[in-house]
Every structure is written in C-alpha cells, then in structure tokens.
Amino acid sequence: MSPHRSSVACALLQQLGAIDRRWPAARVRRLHIPRRPGDPGQHDAEFCAIELEDGSFGLSYILLGRTLDRLLADHGSGRGEALAGADPLALAQGLAGGDEVGRAVALAAINALTDSVWRRLGYQPPPAGNSLGDVVLGPGDHLGMIGFFPPLVRRIDDAGGRLTVVEMNTGMVARQRARFPGVHVTLDRHALATCNTVVGTSTMLLNDTLDDMLAATPRATRFAVIGPSAGLWPDVLFERGVTLLGGTRVADGQAFADAMTAGESWSHATRKFAIAREGWPGWRRLCGVAA
C-alpha cells in the first residue's frame, strides 16, 4: 500500500460520512447474536447482525479470536437491546482501531448503513449466480482462497483447477488440513503469487489484511471479496483492485431474527448478491452526491 493511501477502514468511514450527510442514518434497533455457544471447531462461520429502526440489517463475522465469547458475555441473554438507539455511524468508527468486538460491531453497522441507503434509493444489487460470488472456474485456473470455503472444494475439483488456501491462524490451518488432506492450506500469503483468480472473505476488513492480500496476488485478474459480511459500498474495494463484491442482504427481517434467536439457519431469510466492478455506477451517482 502506498504510504500516502489511507487505510481501507479510514476510506470507508470517510465515504460513509459523506453519504450520511445526504442520507442521514436511522438509529440502531437491536444487535442480534447467535444463540449457539460456538465451541471451537463446531462451526466454520458465525455472524452477528445490526438491525436499524428502518428495518435494515448488516452482518459481521464473529469467529476471529474471542469475538463471539466476548459478544455473548457483553450482549447475550437478551441484552442485544443495549445498543438500541445508538448511532450506527458512531459504531462504525470502531473499524479503525477498535478491539476485535468493536471492529465486528463496526462492520455490521457499516453493512446496515449501506443496506439502509440502498433500500431508500430502491437499489437492488444483482443476484449472485453461485456461491463463489459469480466467479466461474476452468481447468487452467489456479484459485486462491483467503479463508476456507469447504463446500467449494468439490466444485474446484470438478472444474479441473488448482487450489491454494491461505488461513489466518494455525489452529484453522491444522483443522482444514485434517479435513482436506489433498488441499494446500497455509499461513503464507505469498503462496497466492501464482493464482490468477482469488476469492477472499470479508474477514480481511476485520483484520485489516485486504491491502496485503492484494499485494500478494500480482497475477490475479479476478479478485472477489465475498461472504455475509460483504454487504457494504464496494467503491473503496474496487479502487484497490477488487473486481467483484459478493454479499448477503436480509430479505425477511422477522424470519431472520427468529432464526438467529433459535440458533437455526437463516439462509432462507436472506439473498446473495454479486456486484462486478465494471458494472458499478459508483456511490456518488447512486446517492446524488456531487464530486
């Protein structure tokens, strides 16, 4: 990253501030936390959600470090209402320099703010055609995964491509190597150097590794950021070299909240989308904000 370029978090927050001046944010209604205890190794992913008073939602991954345990300690057992009335833009500031819980709540707030404005604008992002964020693979492709997507391993095998997976902690590397002994799983991001296609989770926004991962993939012509946490304005990511954003929006708020409370799957209450860089009109045009 250039020494003169602001961090991803700072750039996102600057953009959100400009959008908020044109489209002021609704307040927080509730923080939703999964009921499941999330024992180590039990789940590949867990998410919290910020719900705004206008019915908008934003999701965030919460299995980094002790994020889920701390969220449950601070806001579990019906204490999600503790954030009721909070300013989501203020919560969003935690993405720049907050602790692991603050960053998780911040990303959920950023995604909820995005969803809120998209709803008011009537903007509907294109639906995703597949769980790879609309990335189509062929036999000559070398796919790099940043974060593991276990259901996709067979799809890559069927396409005849190569796969390299980069994980962020030794425990996850050991676990995935045991589950998939034929897959190259490593902590070394430089293993992505020969990949022509990269798919990474939006966890890169939580641990501030997006710029480093982009720099580690010089041959990648396609770089997708996907996952339920990727429900944000894509401009800052596109400017850095991301070519596709694949996120999740809550389509049925009540069904989503009920499923979260019951510790059940909420996929039926959500819709996946995929925004390609070449088809994106830009946030200023959508929001009616002058350059």
Side-chain angles (χ1 to χ4, degrees), residues 146-158:
I146 304 168
F148 209 1
F149 305 89
L152 303 181
V153 174
R154 176 168 293 183
R155 180 178 299 173
I156 296 161
D157 286 341
D158 291 343

Side-chain angles (χ1 to χ4, degrees), residues 238-251:
F238 287 168
E239 290 165 3
R240 283 168 149 75
V242 172
T243 60
L244 188 140
L245 182 75
T248 298
R249 298 182 78 190
V250 173

Side-chain angles (χ1 to χ4, degrees), residues 176-191:
Q176 302 298 12
R177 282 176 176 171
R179 293 175 67 191
F180 301 95
V183 176
H184 181 204
V185 186
T186 177
L187 290 166
D188 183 10
R189 67 175 181 270
H190 297 102

Side-chain angles (χ1 to χ4, degrees), residues 30-34 47-51 57 80 253 256-257 260-261:
R30 181 179 172 85
L31 170 66
H32 297 269
I33 306 173
F47 300 87
C48 71
I50 289 283
E51 179 184 0
F57 282 81
F256 175 88
M260 180 78 81
T261 299

